[in-house]
């Protein structure tokens, strides 16, 4: 898999309305060549109207000729989804980076997939892989209304393993029924709006560590930190032999860039993982929405776009 962020120029081959407000987009190499490999859970970064945006790959990992993404028409869009729905058309070229994967499918005896709205997209390739392997699984797929829930025809092929839960017909998803009994043999995968993710995380609090896997489209809410409580600290870039003082009111990544140290970045919100950096020394103050609790305790990497430092000095592999 290509984790380098190498720039690609992809051709929009087709665009299909999958439900109210959801367009799927097929992307190909303009010359018909093979695309970088990817695995279940990977996402692609697209530059849309000058804005980097991340979309889960929801096609077939073994298909090296095309990528499929799906984009929700978000009324609160800052430009990405509006650009896709209003301006992008078959025949256009888009700039892309990736694929990258911070949501990999792990081995398990059973799987429970929980999707909310457009959160179904990263789960589709996982479901196909698990079904092909003959491993037991089930999907609870919620949406505001049936007409807004994409890929229903595709999911219908799986029969009773899939439960559609349109909220206007059946009410909110019963997470107590789904997650009330912890099961060490089951991996739980969830993607959707923040309200669903937070509720699933709370419901899985009693499950064995590592059972729950989530992917966010937006940063998780963080406790507000008073600007006066922020601290200044030093960052040493070991490879570049650069030392920089990070002021209390400046993100680490901005201080590094001002000192001439370039860090790959896209979201600047701690959700895409493109800026993940190895920590050689020091104790990061993790404020991202990606790392697991164990990864935070280990402190081997950090996201300098949002995270800071508990220690007076951080040494980064940059």
């Amino acid at each position: 898999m290509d984790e380098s962020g190498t720039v690609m120029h992809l051709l929009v081959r087709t665009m299909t309305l999958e439900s109210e407000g959801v367009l799927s987009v097929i992307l190909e190499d303009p010359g018909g060549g093979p695309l970088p490999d990817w695995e279940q859970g990977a996402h692609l970064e697209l530059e849309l109207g000058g804005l980097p945006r991340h979309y889960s790959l929801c096609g077939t990992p073994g298909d090296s000729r095309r990528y499929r993404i799906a984009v929700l028409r978000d009324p609160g869009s800052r430009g990405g989804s509006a650009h896709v729905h209003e301006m992008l058309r078959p025949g256009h070229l888009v700039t892309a980076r990736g694929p990258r994967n911070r949501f990999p499918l792990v081995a398990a005896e059973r799987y429970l997939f929980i999707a909310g709205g457009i959160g179904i997209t990263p789960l589709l390739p996982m479901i196909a892989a698990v079904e092909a392997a003959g491993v037991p699984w089930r999907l609870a797929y919620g949406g505001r209304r049936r007409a807004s829930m994409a890929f229903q025809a595709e999911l219908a092929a799986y029969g009773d393993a899939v439960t559609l839960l349109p909220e206007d017909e059946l009410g909110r998803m019963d997470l107590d029924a789904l997650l009330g009994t912890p099961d060490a043999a089951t991996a739980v995968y969830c993607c959707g709006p923040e309200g669903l993710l937070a509720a699933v995380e709370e419901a899985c609090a009693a499950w064995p560590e590592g059972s729950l896997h989530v992917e966010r489209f937006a940063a998780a809410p963080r406790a507000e930190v008073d600007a006066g409580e922020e601290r200044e600290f030093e960052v040493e870039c070991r490879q570049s032999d650069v030392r920089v003082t990070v002021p209390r009111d400046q993100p680490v990544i901005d201080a590094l860039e001002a000192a001439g140290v370039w860090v790959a970045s896209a979201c600047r919100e701690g959700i895409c993982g493109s800026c993940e950096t190895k920590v050689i020394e020091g104790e990061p103050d993790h404020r991202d929405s990606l790392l697991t609790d164990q990864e935070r305790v280990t402190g081997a990497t950090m996201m300098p776009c949002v995270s800071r430092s508990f220690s007076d000095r951080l040494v980064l592999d940059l």
Side-chain angles (χ1 to χ4, degrees), residues 60 77 217 280:
T60 304
S77 168
F217 295 133
I280 299 174

Side-chain angles (χ1 to χ4, degrees), residues 141-145 164-174:
Y141 178 17
R144 291 186 177 180
R145 57 188 182 280
L164 299 181
L165 299 166
E167 188 174 339
D168 64 341
E169 298 176 25
L170 302 173
R172 292 191 174 182
M173 195 178 296
D174 187 348

Side-chain angles (χ1 to χ4, degrees), residues 114 175-176 178-182 197-207 212:
I114 301 175
L175 295 180
D176 287 337
L178 288 170
L179 301 166
T181 304
L197 297 179
V200 169
E201 287 174 332
E202 182 178 354
C204 284
W207 282 59
L212 176 62

